[in-house]
Amino acid sequence: LQAIMKKWAVLATATIIYILGLLLGTYYPIANALPPIAALHELLNIDQFTVRNGFFFGFPFVAVGMALAQIKRMPSFKLSLSLTLLSIGGLFAETWIAVKLLHTTSTILWLSCIPATFFLMQCLLHIKKIHFDTRFARKTATFIYLIHPTFILLLQSSMSQGLLMFAI
C-alpha cells in the first residue's frame, strides 16, 4: 500500500478497518443500532471469528509497526513504560465496561490493544541487551496462531471459556 498511498493514508485506512472490525465484533451488541453496521453485519454473515483475521485484525497492527518504524526520536523508556501501563489499565477498563455494562459476548478485538501494543513495543526497543532469533519467534508465533483454533474446538465442550482454557 505504501507504493500507492502515503504512509499516513495507510495508517488512516488501517484505523478505519480496525474500528469497523470493533463495531462488527466486540461492540456489535451496541453498534447494531446503526443501520449501516447492522446491514454490513448481515451482508457479510459475520460470526465471532470473522473479524478476527488478517484484514480487520492483522493489517492494523502491521500499520502500527510501520508507524513505529517511522519515529525518528523515541520517547524515553520511563514515558513509554508509563504509557504502556496506562494503556493496559485502559484495556482492563474497556474490557470490564464492555463485558459487565454493555454485555458484549464477543471479546476478540479491543480498542485499547492498539496503544498498548504501540507503547509496549517502544519499551522493548529501549532494551538493547535482549537478542534472540527472530526467525524462531516468527515461526513459533505462526504455529501458535494456526494451532490455537484446534485447541479451542477440542476444549470448549469440556470446560468453560476462562483463564484455564486460555492458559492451555
Side-chain angles (χ1 to χ4, degrees):
L1 285 176
Q2 287 182 30
I4 60 172
M5 301 169 82
K6 294 184 186 272
K7 290 178 176 133
W8 65 266
V10 173
L11 192 58
T13 302
T15 302
I16 291 167
I17 289 169
Y18 192 76
I19 290 170
L20 187 59
L22 285 169
L23 294 174
L24 291 170
T26 302
Y27 288 105
Y28 187 70
I30 56 172
N32 68 0
L34 303 169
I37 298 297
L40 186 59
H41 192 275
E42 184 70 27
L43 176 72
L44 297 176
N45 193 25
I46 289 181
D47 64 17
Q48 67 173 342
F49 292 107
T50 309
V51 293
R52 188 176 185 170
N53 58 35
F55 183 68
F56 289 107
F57 192 28
F59 171 49
F61 283 95
V62 171
V64 166
M66 177 198 70
L68 188 61
Q70 302 303 313
I71 295 176
K72 301 281 189 248
R73 186 168 166 242
M74 294 290 276
S76 69
F77 177 76
K78 280 185 173 182
L79 179 60
S80 296
L81 182 59
S82 297
L83 292 171
T84 299
L85 295 174
L86 184 66
S87 298
I88 291 172
L91 180 58
F92 280 110
E94 180 183 11
T95 304
W96 187 84
I97 289 168
V99 172
K100 296 294 184 186
L101 299 180
L102 303 177
H103 306 291
T104 186
T105 56
S106 174
T107 56
I108 57 176
L109 292 175
W110 298 110
L111 187 59
S112 305
C113 286
I114 296 286
T117 301
F118 183 80
F119 296 126
L120 178 61
M121 289 306 298
Q122 281 185 343
C123 284
L124 294 175
L125 289 172
H126 280 285
I127 302 171
K128 304 288 184 208
K129 294 180 182 176
I130 297 177
H131 297 286
F132 61 91
D133 182 4
T134 57
R135 289 174 298 178
F136 175 75
R138 284 192 311 266
K139 288 179 181 179
T140 303
T142 301
F143 177 73
I144 291 169
Y145 177 76
L146 293 174
I147 198 75
H148 86 275
T150 303
F151 282 94
I152 291 170
L153 290 173
L154 291 173
L155 295 173
Q156 72 183 0
S157 63
S158 62
M159 66 174 47
S160 64
Q161 290 188 354
L163 192 55
L164 177 62
M165 186 169 166
F166 174 77
I168 291 171

